[in-house]
Amino acid sequence: MSENRYLFTSESVTEGHPDKMADQISDGILDEMIRQDSHSRVAVETLVTTGMAFVAGEVTTKGFVNIPKIVRAVIKDIGYEDASYGYDYKTCAVVNAIDEQSPDIAMGVDTGGAGDQGMMFGYATDETEEYMPMSIALAHKLTQRLTRIRRKGLLPWLRPDGKSQVTTEYVNGKPDKVKVVVISTQHSADVPMKELRQEIISKIIEPIIPEQLRADDIVYHINPTGRFVVGGPQADCGLTGRKIIVDTYGGYGAHGGGAFSGKDPTKVDRSASYMARYIAKNLVASGLVNHAEVQLAYAIGVAEPVSVMVEGNGISMEKSSKLVKVVRKVFPLTPRAIIKHLDLRRPIFRKTAAYGHFGRELDEFTWERTDLAESIRKEYEKL
């Protein structure tokens, strides 16, 4: 039998990438509002560009948040502390255009309904210990290591902005070898390019991608343009919600189109996406499927989902129908119940805003638990 081979690529970006800076600022503001008033309603968008951070959106909260102070604190923590980087927390202008949330939306949310219409997807696979597709799992680990090495000062020429990209070869539907790795990192002007490339391979790539996973003909593209001195908001305007595939599954499975950052958990774009991941991960952990894609869909102001789907290669229509029944029985699916079950009225969201919302085993990431896998098995056996 001939082998079925194909390549799949995913990317990640560091916390100093302009789009991720915008996400973290939006979620930093959200966290502070929830810290002061756990029932805050928040929809905040951020734009960062040369010398400026612009914040806009709609909120309802009993708290008082010093928006410029939060914005500057997030920028400082990311690492833009020096004007020589082209952007720094002390001198950038902060423009605040946050307004009051529409009472029309509140009418539907106050009764326990969804804060908007839309469809949300969750995905899980058994191909990695994180229940994530291999390419995105490795891409995130590479950008996380870039940041750790920079923060520790082990490569003093590293700067906050950076990207990774991993191409994995699949054989008969299973990940086999990593074929291509791309790293683009902002750097100081004085580092020789040969040194940069050697150090990135030895200190960033090789500690993350095990030798047994590297193809014999693996290709490394390290700063392939040859220079990346001007970076961050000075080089590229950043916007909240522009890295939704980096935030989720690296292009595997479907995406409903809604961004997460800057939105409180009454927005099902966020909370129902977390629940869909939670469902998918528990389905795979139950052993009933090797991978699963879950869709939840809602109508604004309506509590119960208008549809629930469980899909995946090798899942028959009969099995899919049974799994949907199990999901509806085991998991709470109204926005109010999702928030309670996943304990989402906490200031936990800035941590989600870089290196992916899924696949990281942090105490705050309740949607990564597999505590309902046994319940799924038991309910499935009853059908």
Side-chain angles (χ1 to χ4, degrees), residues 67-79 89 350:
I67 299 297
K69 183 177 179 180
I70 296 294
V71 172
R72 295 185 193 281
V74 172
I75 295 170
K76 179 183 180 182
D77 185 59
I78 290 169
Y89 77 99
R350 194 192 148 194

Side-chain angles (χ1 to χ4, degrees), residues 288-365:
L288 293 173
V289 293
N290 294 325
H291 62 277
E293 182 173 80
V294 174
Q295 186 200 56
L296 304 175
Y298 293 84
I300 188 169
V302 179
E304 290 292 338
V306 299
S307 68
V308 178
M309 180 204 76
V310 177
E311 191 51 88
N313 292 334
I315 299 178
S316 66
M317 292 181 65
E318 180 184 8
K319 189 171 188 178
S320 175
S321 178
K322 287 183 178 180
L323 290 175
V324 168
K325 291 178 182 178
V326 170
V327 166
R328 285 188 175 274
K329 182 77 177 289
V330 172
F331 294 88
L333 298 178
T334 67
R336 185 172 287 171
I338 290 171
I339 291 169
K340 181 178 180 181
H341 187 86
L342 297 180
D343 195 12
L344 297 179
R345 293 197 186 278
R346 296 177 295 150
I348 62 173
F349 296 108
R350 194 192 148 194
K351 284 187 177 181
T352 69
Y355 313 113
H357 293 244
F358 309 120
R360 292 192 286 154
E361 298 288 344
L362 300 177
D363 290 341
E364 298 92 337
F365 288 25

Side-chain angles (χ1 to χ4, degrees), residues 102 109 150 191-192 196 274 339:
S102 166
V109 178
R150 172 180 62 84
V191 60
L196 182 146
Y274 291 172
I339 291 169

